[in-house]
Structures are given as C-alpha cells and as structure tokens.
C-alpha cells in the first residue's frame, strides 16, 4: 500500500513471483507518481526474488500509464469456452482479419488462444472483437535488465 499519513492513497498486489494483479491509486492522488512508485517497488521486490520479467493484464484506460512505466504490450485473443469449436474460430481469425499479421498460437487449459504483438491499431482490435465469442485483452510485460534487484 502507498500511504500519506493515515490515508491509503494506492495499492498494488502481486502473486509474489512475476505477475502484478492489481494497481490502483485513489482519484485525488492520480498523476503524482504514486502508481509508478508502486510498480517500481513491486518490480524491485520480484527481481530480488529472481524474476526476470513482470507481466500484467491491463484495462485499455491504463495502457498509456504502463507504457510510460516501461511496459510493452501484446494482445491475448481468446475464444469463449462455450463455443463448440474454438479452433475453427481461431482459424477464421488467422485467415481473415489477422491475415498478414504475425500471431503465436498457444493453449491454456485446453483452450486455443492467440498472441499478437500490440499493433496499436484500435480498428483492427474492433474487427477482431466483432467476431462472435472473441475477447481481446492487453497483456503488458516488462523485462528486467540483468542485475536488477
Ligand atoms: C492507472 C493508475 C494506477 C495510474 O496511477 P497514477 O499514480 O496516476 O500514475 P503516475 O502518476 O505514477 O503516472 C506515471 C506516468 O504515467 C502517465 N499516466 C498515468 N495515467 C495515465 C493515463 N490515464 N493516460 C496517459 N498517461 C498516464 C503519467 O502522466 C506519468 O507520465 P510521465 O512518465 O510523463 O511522468 C491510476 O490512474 C488508477 O488507479 N486508475 C484506476 C485503476 C486502474 O485502471 N488500474 C490499472 C488496472 S490494469
């Protein structure tokens, strides 16, 4: 937690290994470096424990903040698990709206998913999300320089 006297002005949470799960700063304290400091403290702690990078999922509104703090992003493209044939949806994406883009296919708990280096193109994102059952989330990552921590 970040505190100003008795007041809690921000908080951060992590799995203690290499993922940050929460960063939040009280409205009236935003834009004053509290969020960056919370990230830096957590990154230092995780690096000292041996992490070589830190990863987090971001809401769209926080992407610029994470970029300012040295994070780069990728899109994680997932298909609603209730869809009967998710592989067909993935194939349709790769051959359709994502044709010409470099994508990486991975699998999470048996569900196929795609990774795309964040092209910063909201129109492309909208086209991907317009495919029924498809969800896109920004995943931000920062790699630590050797010797950090
Ligand atoms: C996102 C959040 C944590 C940022 O905290 P903050 O204390 O305001 O951020 P800082 O003051 O440390 O900002 C660090 C840098 O990011 C920039 N920044 C912060 N918020 C920004 C925004 N919404 N858009 C663009 N830039 C932003 C700052 O201008 C600063 O830039 P600098 O490098 O020029 O100094 C805060 O706005 C928040 O709590 N939002 C609601 C919760 C949330 O969205 N959390 C993230 C969930 S993924």
């Amino acid at each position: 937690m970040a505190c100003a006297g008795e007041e809690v002005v921000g908080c951060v949470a992590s799995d203690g290994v290499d993922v940050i799960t929460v960063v939040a700063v009280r409205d009236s304290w935003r834009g004053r470096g509290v969020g960056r400091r919370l990230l830096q403290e957590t990154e230092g702690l995780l690096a000292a424990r041996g992490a070589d990078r830190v990863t987090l999922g971001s809401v769209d509104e926080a992407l610029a903040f994470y970029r300012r703090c040295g994070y780069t992003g990728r899109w994680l493209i997932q298909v609603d698990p209730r869809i009967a044939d998710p592989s067909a949806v993935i194939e349709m994406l790769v051959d359709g709206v994502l044709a010409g883009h470099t994508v990486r296919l991975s699998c999470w708990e048996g569900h196929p998913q795609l990774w795309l280096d964040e092209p910063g193109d909201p129109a492309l994102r909208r086209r991907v999300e317009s495919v029924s059952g498809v969800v896109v989330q920004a995943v931000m990552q920062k790699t630590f320089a050797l010797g950090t921590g």
Side-chain angles (χ1 to χ4, degrees), residues 108-119:
W108 183 73
E109 294 192 348
H111 303 290
Q113 56 187 18
L114 290 174
W115 293 91
L116 175 73
D117 281 342
E118 190 187 337

Side-chain angles (χ1 to χ4, degrees), residues 19-110:
V19 176
I20 290 179
T21 49
V22 176
V23 186
V25 173
R26 194 181 286 276
D27 266 359
S28 54
W29 281 82
R30 290 183 191 166
R32 295 154 75 170
V34 175
R36 170 180 278 132
R37 177 79 190 277
L38 284 167
L39 280 183
Q40 284 171 344
E41 293 288 333
T42 311
E43 290 160 8
L45 189 81
L46 297 179
R49 290 180 171 195
D52 61 359
R53 71 195 63 196
V54 64
T55 305
L56 51 86
S58 176
V59 296
D60 290 348
E61 297 73 22
L63 288 175
F65 161 70
Y66 289 120
R67 286 197 198 101
R68 295 297 301 170
C69 293
Y71 286 71
T72 54
R74 287 179 298 161
W75 289 356
L76 173 58
I77 301 167
Q78 294 178 303
V79 181
D80 186 328
R82 290 169 297 185
I83 300 259
D85 187 359
S87 298
V89 177
I90 294 276
E91 221 169 283
M92 188 171 75
L93 285 170
V94 172
D95 293 339
V97 284
L98 293 174
H101 294 271
T102 305
V103 289
R104 193 167 63 78
L105 178 66
S106 66
C107 196
W108 183 73
E109 294 192 348

